[in-house]
Amino acid sequence: MDRRVFLQSAGASLLLAGGNLAWAQSAPRPLPIIPLTDLTGGIEDRISLALNPATHDFGNGVVSETLGINHNYLGPVIRVKQGQTLPFDVANNIGETSTIHWHGLHIPGDVDGGPHQEIEHGSVWSPDVPIVQHASMNWFHSHMHGKTAQQTYKGLAGVLLVEDDASLAADLPNTYGVDDFTLVLQDKTFDDSGKMAYELSAAVFEDGFEGDTLTVNGAIAPVAQPVPTGLVRLRILNACNARFLRLSMETGPITVIASDGGFLSSPVEANNILMSPGERYEVLVDMTAFETNALKVNLNGNGGGFLSDLFGGNRSVTALSLARTDMRGFDGALPTQLANLVPPNSADATVTRDFQLNMNVGADLAALALAWENVCGDAGAMAINGQPMKMDRIDEKVRKGDTEIWRISVDDQLHPFHIHGCSFRILSQNGGPPPSYAAGWKDMVHVDDGWSEVLVRFDYEATDHTPYMYHCHILEHEDCGMMGQFTVT
Ligand code: C2O
Ligand code: CU
Ligand code: CU
């Protein structure tokens, strides 16, 4: 029996044994609107971000121990404008070393916030982060090597929205919390007492940590939100450690307007979209056509397949339900043109690099789970091109300004591959063309059977003191060594 099929059937019987309880949903809670720090009008002071231990009720009436950034769980939504420089003061009070990486930003290695830019407990990291890129939804999260999974799961993550003149003037909903919503999707596990839990085992290392409960902005789904008649914009981040999510709308196709690195050339309608951990998509919902609508999430985005379908594992749950009111909001029409995107031209590339993601390179995952007390550490159970991540080894050297093709394949399972310091275009994904909603600017690509290929150019410097990372964004895989380092000079 193929290992993947076996794992799926094991999962299916677990679901049966549990009576599918995890999939049952309660009455909706109000959608938490993450506090907005809007700096598009100008920046007067340094921007303080404090990483703190905290407690948070996800909505089940039980207080869980969490980490937060200026808040009790997760960080603020920070909205900035192209051309600004962001003077951050990131203070670490969590009792252990951490880092904050700006995922999606086109910035030099020395402000990227990767594993080399450790912020010890009690100290402050003060990078000046230049915003050069155009409008896009980005995020920030812990990148502490060996502990990224655990620290991010506990709450060290936030959203960074970049606007530009065109996006602010565009005929699109952009009133935060009225017709423009930021949604952070995560899967959580709660223990018998109702507290958020995270525990590593060999199986969790293998598949990444997957919780059985969907949360939206730190509240157990479903959540509900009244909205104006007209178009409503949802800016969605999959901030799960390991879970691929398949998103759809209750009433029909889902309309996608932007991917990780910015707007698509025009809106794309799809039956559903598959979002890996780390990916962002923006969608528009037309609330003139229906009085209510809902964003549905299939937690078995990774595939699920026949057995999972058979045992009811493939059901979608409601993430967010929307109810129309006569409140005023954006009343324009669905745009037909969004951005000028020329198709990627692989003939521009002068260098091609191959990356093979390796699941197991010999280490005993069960022993690791025990020995490392819930962190993978520098154990190197997984690898890229046979080499587990090493902080003092540079794996690739890229020349600044060169256009390259990066080809990625894997020996087993579906993985989300991410590259720092850039946006790229997907030439092929799993041996075929990418879905049209993934054909624009991206910094994440899915890797399963067949090669995934991206066309990428690096315009900023990263030296061997502060190299960029490329890695699997299943955070347990990343922590376990499925990561490499490169310089751009
Ligand atoms: Cu979102 Cu290197 O990470
Ligand atoms: Cu990143
Ligand atoms: Cu992986």
Side-chain angles (χ1 to χ4, degrees):
M1 206 173 179
D2 168 288
R3 211 184 94 239
R4 188 183 318 213
V5 173
F6 169 74
L7 287 175
Q8 275 166 10
S9 62
S13 46
L14 278 181
L15 278 178
L16 267 190
N20 273 351
L21 267 186
W23 304 90
Q25 289 194 288
S26 53
R29 302 168 170 83
L31 169 69
I33 306 292
I34 299 175
L36 175 70
T37 302
D38 192 353
L39 302 171
T40 53
I43 301 172
E44 263 135 51
D45 296 311
R46 297 197 65 83
I47 309 162
S48 297
L49 294 179
L51 318 185
N52 290 319
T55 57
H56 173 72
D57 178 358
F58 286 85
N60 59 357
V62 178
V63 166
S64 292
E65 280 169 31
T66 53
L67 297 175
I69 305 176
N70 293 0
H71 301 296
N72 288 336
Y73 180 69
L74 300 175
V77 171
I78 305 173
R79 195 166 178 249
V80 302
K81 209 180 146 187
Q82 184 184 41
Q84 290 178 323
T85 294
L86 313 180
F88 282 114
D89 285 336
V90 185
N92 177 6
N93 311 311
I94 66 168
E96 62 182 24
T97 309
S98 190
T99 83
I100 287 294
H101 162 60
W102 318 103
H103 178 137
L105 292 193
H106 305 181
I107 49 177
D110 61 355
V111 292
D112 181 62
H116 292 269
Q117 283 146 330
E118 293 186 352
I119 316 167
E120 278 170 38
H121 170 75
S123 62
V124 179
W125 178 53
S126 300
D128 289 319
V129 178
I131 302 297
V132 179
Q133 68 211 89
H134 48 213
S136 48
M137 179 179 186
N138 304 282
W139 66 303
F140 48 98
H141 59 80
S142 160
H143 217 303
M144 182 60 207
H145 189 43
K147 289 196 167 178
T148 296
Q150 199 173 103
Q151 292 185 354
T152 304
Y153 181 80
K154 288 185 179 166
L156 293 190
V159 170
L160 181 65
L161 303 176
V162 173
E163 301 284 355
D164 57 24
D165 286 326
S167 73
L168 290 173
D171 219 7
L172 287 170
N174 70 358
T175 310
Y176 188 80
V178 175
D179 54 24
D180 180 356
F181 299 93
T182 292
L183 306 179
V184 178
L185 306 182
Q186 295 173 300
D187 57 341
K188 296 288 170 195
T189 289
F190 297 94
D191 66 17
D192 291 343
S193 69
K195 286 190 198 307
M196 179 176 78
Y198 181 83
E199 211 160 322
L200 288 177
S201 62
V204 168
F205 276 144
E206 182 93 21
D207 293 340
F209 181 90
E210 296 194 329
D212 56 16
T213 306
L214 180 69
T215 62
V216 185
N217 296 352
I220 295 170
V223 291
Q225 175 65 34
V227 291
T229 309
L231 290 180
V232 170
R233 181 176 186 171
L234 307 178
R235 311 194 198 213
I236 306 169
L237 162 68
N238 178 345
C240 295
N241 277 24
R243 223 183 239 289
F244 282 67
L245 302 172
R246 200 174 275 285
L247 272 55
S248 59
M249 298 304 302
E250 190 174 57
T251 58
I254 184 164
T255 305
V256 185
I257 58 168
S259 57
D260 305 336
F263 287 111
L264 303 176
S265 52
S266 55
V268 166
E269 293 212 329
N271 287 331
N272 55 67
I273 60 178
L274 181 59
M275 278 186 93
S276 76
E279 280 190 300
R280 292 88 66 208
Y281 283 107
E282 292 187 33
V283 310
L284 288 181
V285 184
D286 185 353
M287 293 302 292
T288 54
F290 302 97
E291 251 166 70
T292 62
N293 208 333
L295 175 70
K296 312 286 282 187
V297 173
N298 188 323
L299 293 176
N300 268 353
N302 305 32
F306 164 74
L307 279 164
S308 192
D309 274 342
L310 191 66
F311 293 111
N314 231 358
R315 277 212 314 260
S316 288
V317 295
T318 297
L320 167 68
S321 53
L322 300 169
R324 183 168 88 190
T325 65
D326 47 22
M327 202 173 13
R328 281 192 68 83
F330 177 81
D331 52 13
L334 186 72
T336 50
Q337 175 75 30
L338 293 162
N340 246 327
L341 277 191
V342 286
N345 182 4
S346 50
D348 292 344
T350 51
V351 180
T352 299
R353 296 174 204 266
D354 285 2
F355 300 89
Q356 168 88 13
L357 312 182
N358 316 114
M359 276 301 283
N360 299 315
V361 289
D364 178 345
L365 291 170
L368 277 181
L370 263 180
W372 284 87
E373 290 176 339
N374 266 350
V375 294
C376 201
D378 211 10
M382 295 177 190
I384 297 180
N385 292 342
Q387 305 260 48
M389 158 77 182
K390 283 282 170 268
M391 290 285 280
D392 57 6
R393 187 192 66 236
I394 300 297
D395 299 281
E396 304 289 336
K397 293 181 177 166
V398 171
R399 227 173 56 188
K400 194 167 135 186
D402 277 359
T403 298
E404 304 200 348
I405 293 175
W406 285 27
R407 308 170 73 232
I408 313 106
S409 69
V410 63
D411 53 20
D412 192 23
Q413 291 192 358
L414 168 62
H415 305 256
F417 188 78
H418 170 56
I419 311 175
H420 285 209
C422 67
S423 296
F424 53 66
R425 301 291 290 280
I426 300 177
L427 299 172
S428 67
Q429 183 165 276
N430 306 329
S436 41
Y437 60 80
W441 290 109
K442 297 279 300 157
D443 52 58
M444 304 280 328
V445 62
H446 303 179
V447 184
D448 196 348
D449 296 326
W451 289 95
S452 291
E453 301 182 311
V454 304
L455 188 71
V456 62
R457 197 183 70 211
F458 300 96
D459 291 327
Y460 307 95
E461 200 168 76
T463 65
D464 51 8
H465 293 288
T466 53
Y468 289 134
M469 306 290 132
Y470 53 84
H471 57 90
C472 175
H473 221 287
I474 291 178
L475 299 181
E476 289 76 13
H477 291 179
E478 173 189 334
D479 280 343
C480 275
M482 201 181 278
M483 179 155 71
Q485 312 196 96
F486 68 107
T487 58
V488 177
T489 52

